[in-house]
Amino acid sequence: MPHAARLVVVAAVVATAAGLRISTPAPRPLEAARSSAKTTRKDFCISTAVAIAAATSSSSAARAAGGLVPATQLVDELAQLRADTRAGRMNAKKVTKATAKTLEPLRNAMEKNPFNNSDKAKLQPLLMKGHMLELEEALASPDGFKEYVSKTTQDTYPGGKVERELEEAVETAEAYCSEVNCDTLLVYRQ
C-alpha cells in the first residue's frame, strides 16, 4: 500500500475513533437519544469505511487529486467538466485527466457503498461503468468533439459525443444521489 494511502487509512481510523467519542445531544427520552446517536455514529463510521475501501482499491490514475471529498463535490465537478466541454474549452487529454480525478473515484465509491439498499442504487454504478466505456470510445474517436445531434432526443451537443456521455454520467450520478445521501458518502482521491 503506498505511503499516502496508509496515511489516509490512519487518518480515517483516528477520525472514526473521534467520531465514536461524540457526546449525545441534550437529554431526551432515553430510547430516542440512543437511537439518534447510534445512527449518526454508524453513518459516520460506515462512510469512513467506504472511503478506506475506495482508497485501498482505486487505480493509480484516480489518485491524482487527493483527499477525502463528499460525492456531491465530484458530481458538481463532473457537471462543470460537461459545461467546459460544451463551451469548447476541453480536449481529449484534459477530459481524460479530469475524469480520472472525478468519474473513476465516484464510480468506485458508488459501487462499494454499503448503503446501496434499493435496486435503483445498485443499478447506477453499473450504468456509470457503461457510460465510462462509451466516453472512452468517444474520446478515442476523431469526431468525438464534433457537434452531435441525438437521434432519439434531437438535442444538439456542441461538445460532441464526449459531451453527451458526460451528460449521461452526470444524470446517472444525480439519480444515484437521489437514492443515497451523497453528502455523507466520502470519496478518496489522492
Side-chain angles (χ1 to χ4, degrees):
M1 181 183 301
H3 179 68
R6 277 191 291 251
L7 287 176
V8 169
V9 170
V10 170
V13 169
V14 170
T16 301
L20 292 175
R21 290 191 196 110
I22 297 172
S23 62
T24 56
R28 289 188 271 166
L30 188 57
E31 298 269 333
R34 282 188 184 153
S35 173
S36 173
K38 284 182 183 176
T39 302
T40 302
R41 290 178 191 148
K42 181 180 176 185
D43 289 348
F44 179 79
C45 292
I46 290 176
S47 293
T48 303
V50 169
I52 291 170
T56 57
S57 65
S58 61
S59 69
S60 60
R63 298 177 186 243
L68 287 173
V69 296
T72 52
Q73 179 179 332
L74 295 181
V75 174
D76 292 343
E77 289 175 14
L78 195 56
Q80 184 59 49
L81 176 61
R82 183 212 172 211
D84 289 344
T85 301
R86 183 176 185 83
R89 292 188 289 264
M90 301 301 282
N91 60 31
K93 185 176 180 179
K94 289 179 182 179
V95 171
T96 301
K97 185 176 178 181
T99 55
K101 290 189 272 184
T102 56
L103 195 53
E104 290 177 23
L106 178 61
R107 189 210 47 85
N108 190 37
M110 288 168 59
E111 186 175 69
K112 294 179 182 350
N113 187 358
F115 289 119
N116 290 344
N117 297 328
S118 71
D119 289 339
K120 188 175 179 183
K122 291 175 185 174
L123 176 65
Q124 299 308 315
L126 298 174
L127 293 173
M128 185 67 81
K129 193 174 225 174
H131 296 314
M132 289 173 69
L133 291 171
E134 291 174 352
L135 176 62
E136 214 173 280
E137 186 178 305
L139 287 168
S141 170
D143 295 331
F145 288 91
K146 187 177 177 185
E147 187 174 285
Y148 170 72
V149 177
S150 172
K151 293 173 184 158
T152 55
T153 64
Q154 300 302 313
D155 291 338
T156 301
Y157 296 93
K161 289 184 179 180
V162 172
E163 179 194 351
R164 172 68 178 141
E165 291 310 321
L166 288 171
E167 178 186 62
E168 290 288 333
V170 170
E171 289 172 356
T172 301
E174 288 172 345
Y176 180 79
C177 290
S178 72
E179 292 291 313
V180 176
N181 184 357
C182 288
D183 288 325
T184 59
L185 177 59
L186 298 177
V187 179
Y188 174 78
R189 62 180 186 178
Q190 186 176 14

